[in-house]
Amino acid sequence: MRHSILIILFLVASLTSFGQEVFKGEHFIEVTESAEMEVEPNEIFLFVRLREFEENRTKVSLEKLDQDFLQAVKAANIDKKNLTIADAGSKLEKIRRKDKDTFREKSYEIKLTSAAELEKFLEKIEPVKVDQLDLTRLHHTDMEKFKIDLKVKALQAAKSKGSTLLKSIGAEIGKPIMVRDWDQDPIQPLPQARANVMMYNKGESDDMDVEDQIGFRKLKLRAQITAQFEIK
């Protein structure tokens, strides 16, 4: 009998504690808000691939293509520190089994700082027989600062929204209980920005309007905050 009484008391205490936790949980409001902004990129990354090809039954060497490319880079006033080799030219792609039919290739990554610099580079590189040129990524050097600023705005908007909702029922917002932020990568407008502006394949060149192919837009940044506030 004594054991039965102890079990009953234990169950009553547990249910009371559970009820207090549930009741306590009803004393906060949870709000989710977001903030957005657009940023003009100041870092534009390009991938450039040079590849040997045949023209009038004569192979155009990788050395000749590389020389023409570097001259175009210099003419565009691009700092050499913003030019890195993505492939040292050791990769060999065999079209057939004979050595004479083997075409070497070499790849670069270029970092530019503005759309104007990009346009100038494309103008200078146009005469070069580039196999592939892609705009791969847009970035801004102050990206982390922009993200923090957006999170602050989203949190302030969440508190303002919560305060407005509580005032409508005669309550006041209190101190924050929990704040959770959701990291979101900037939206890269690459489907519109992807260049492939100049390609040369099997001795045939494609006539392409460079301005129509580039036309990249601003980076879109977004921050989202979920916060819980006490209800006074």
Side-chain angles (χ1 to χ4, degrees), residues 62 87-93 104-106:
L62 182 62
D87 186 332
S90 59
K91 180 179 179 181
L92 299 178
E93 181 180 350
R104 295 178 297 161
E105 63 182 46
K106 186 174 184 179

Side-chain angles (χ1 to χ4, degrees), residues 9 93 116 118 131 145 148:
L9 290 175
E93 181 180 350
L118 174 60
D131 180 64
K145 178 181 179 301
I148 294 296

Side-chain angles (χ1 to χ4, degrees), residues 110-162:
I110 304 175
K111 183 178 73 173
L112 306 177
T113 59
S114 67
E117 190 175 20
L118 174 60
E119 290 180 5
K120 186 174 182 180
F121 169 69
L122 293 177
E123 177 186 349
K124 298 299 180 182
I125 203 178
E126 188 172 3
V128 183
K129 306 291 182 158
V130 173
D131 180 64
Q132 183 176 345
L133 193 159
D134 288 341
L135 194 161
T136 58
R137 184 164 62 95
L138 304 176
H139 188 64
H140 196 285
T141 50
D142 292 328
M143 188 68 71
E144 293 306 315
K145 178 181 179 301
F146 294 148
K147 287 181 179 180
I148 294 296
D149 291 343
L150 282 179
K151 289 178 181 180
V152 170
K153 291 180 180 179
L155 180 56
Q156 291 173 342
K159 183 178 181 180
S160 177
K161 181 179 180 180

Side-chain angles (χ1 to χ4, degrees), residues 132-136 189-197 213-214:
Q132 183 176 345
L133 193 159
D134 288 341
L135 194 161
T136 58
L190 292 182
Q192 293 79 20
R194 189 172 178 83
N196 285 332
V197 289
Q213 291 295 319
I214 297 301

Side-chain angles (χ1 to χ4, degrees), residues 18-217:
F18 176 75
Q20 289 176 346
E21 290 298 321
V22 173
F23 183 75
K24 182 180 178 181
E26 295 176 352
H27 282 274
F28 70 84
I29 181 173
E30 182 172 299
V31 186
T32 298
E33 273 293 340
S34 62
E36 298 180 352
M37 69 180 298
E38 290 188 343
V39 178
E40 189 77 36
N42 64 2
E43 288 185 337
I44 302 167
F45 293 88
L46 301 176
F47 171 83
V48 180
R49 184 173 68 197
L50 307 174
R51 186 173 183 275
E52 293 179 332
F53 61 92
E54 287 188 0
E55 187 174 39
N56 298 324
R57 297 185 178 181
T58 301
K59 180 186 289 187
V60 179
S61 70
L62 182 62
E63 289 75 15
K64 176 64 167 60
L65 291 169
D66 196 40
Q67 182 182 9
D68 293 344
F69 170 74
L70 293 177
Q71 288 179 351
V73 170
K74 183 178 180 181
N77 295 322
I78 296 175
D79 195 325
K80 287 186 178 180
K81 69 180 182 180
N82 292 332
L83 179 66
T84 57
I85 297 176
D87 186 332
S90 59
K91 180 179 179 181
L92 299 178
E93 181 180 350
K94 293 187 176 182
I95 306 302
R96 301 176 187 173
R97 293 185 178 182
K98 297 181 181 180
D99 291 340
K100 68 177 182 179
D101 294 320
T102 299
F103 295 89
R104 295 178 297 161
E105 63 182 46
K106 186 174 184 179
S107 302
Y108 287 96
E109 182 181 69
I110 304 175
K111 183 178 73 173
L112 306 177
T113 59
S114 67
E117 190 175 20
L118 174 60
E119 290 180 5
K120 186 174 182 180
F121 169 69
L122 293 177
E123 177 186 349
K124 298 299 180 182
I125 203 178
E126 188 172 3
V128 183
K129 306 291 182 158
V130 173
D131 180 64
Q132 183 176 345
L133 193 159
D134 288 341
L135 194 161
T136 58
R137 184 164 62 95
L138 304 176
H139 188 64
H140 196 285
T141 50
D142 292 328
M143 188 68 71
E144 293 306 315
K145 178 181 179 301
F146 294 148
K147 287 181 179 180
I148 294 296
D149 291 343
L150 282 179
K151 289 178 181 180
V152 170
K153 291 180 180 179
L155 180 56
Q156 291 173 342
K159 183 178 181 180
S160 177
K161 181 179 180 180
S163 178
T164 300
L165 291 174
L166 291 177
K167 284 181 180 179
S168 69
I169 57 173
E172 294 183 8
I173 195 168
K175 65 181 181 180
I177 300 174
M178 180 276 293
V179 176
R180 182 185 300 116
D181 68 292
W182 309 89
D183 285 329
Q184 299 185 6
D185 293 329
I187 299 176
Q188 295 274 346
L190 292 182
Q192 293 79 20
R194 189 172 178 83
N196 285 332
V197 289
M198 285 165 289
M199 299 184 69
Y200 192 86
N201 187 23
K202 297 180 181 180
E204 296 180 1
S205 61
D206 295 328
D207 294 328
M208 305 178 74
D209 190 332
V210 172
E211 293 184 359
D212 289 343
Q213 291 295 319
I214 297 301
F216 61 82
R217 297 175 296 183

